[in-house]
Amino acid sequence: MNTFTDFISAIDDPKHRARVEEVLTWVSETFPQLKTRIAWNQPMFTDHGTFIVGFSISKKHMAFTPEEAGISHFEDDLKAAKIDHTKGIVRMPWNQPFNYELLKQMIEFNIQDKAKIDKFWRPVKRT
């Protein structure tokens, strides 16, 4: 978690700061094999050098992205849970409970799906 200290301490709102710290700690403890890093001014978790999940914040929400493949794989679950998302980002409003179970499933999917990928991002599929 030391990797994220500066990011977390720069969050002005104490409730937002506490939520971010809680979520990042949860990921670190739930998936201790993942490596932490800051890239593009965002806390990220990687596995064997490949991106697994990244986080960002805004005034209205904390967001995470497990890449488009991770979101599209869970599209029905996101809709059923009425979680705001695009093809590239999942938004968790500050005033609602954080959906740890869905995040866990998305991280597990990425770890398994990217097990043999040796690049940071998934290869782009050309049609």
Side-chain angles (χ1 to χ4, degrees):
M1 284 297 294
N2 290 337
T3 306
F4 303 143
T5 301
D6 290 343
F7 180 87
I8 292 168
S9 64
I11 300 170
D12 292 332
D13 186 307
K15 290 180 183 176
H16 296 178
R17 187 171 46 250
R19 163 76 63 92
V20 171
E21 187 167 15
E22 176 184 290
V23 171
L24 296 178
T25 299
W26 179 88
V27 174
S28 292
E29 291 174 354
T30 306
F31 299 96
Q33 76 275 24
L34 298 181
K35 305 292 185 224
T36 59
R37 70 183 274 190
I38 296 284
W40 298 279
N41 196 32
Q42 297 178 10
M44 298 183 175
F45 291 86
T46 63
D47 187 31
H48 67 278
T50 190
F51 177 85
I52 298 299
V53 67
F55 295 87
S56 62
I57 62 168
S58 76
K59 188 178 253 186
K60 295 182 180 183
H61 61 262
M62 179 178 184
F64 63 91
T65 181
E67 286 186 272
E68 287 183 31
I71 292 173
S72 65
H73 186 79
F74 291 94
E75 184 78 23
D76 292 339
D77 298 303
L78 289 162
K79 287 179 181 176
K82 298 181 179 165
I83 296 174
D84 184 34
H85 65 284
T86 66
K87 65 180 184 174
I89 194 165
V90 177
R91 296 179 192 98
M92 302 298 299
W94 296 115
N95 62 353
Q96 295 177 11
F98 196 90
N99 192 322
Y100 287 100
E101 184 55 35
L102 188 56
L103 176 60
K104 181 176 188 249
Q105 291 172 17
M106 290 177 151
I107 291 172
E108 288 170 343
F109 169 78
N110 267 354
I111 291 170
Q112 182 178 27
D113 191 57
K114 296 183 80 177
K116 294 183 180 177
I117 294 176
D118 61 357
K119 306 275 190 258
F120 191 70
W121 303 113
R122 280 181 176 85
V124 176
K125 293 181 181 175
R126 307 256 186 236
T127 55

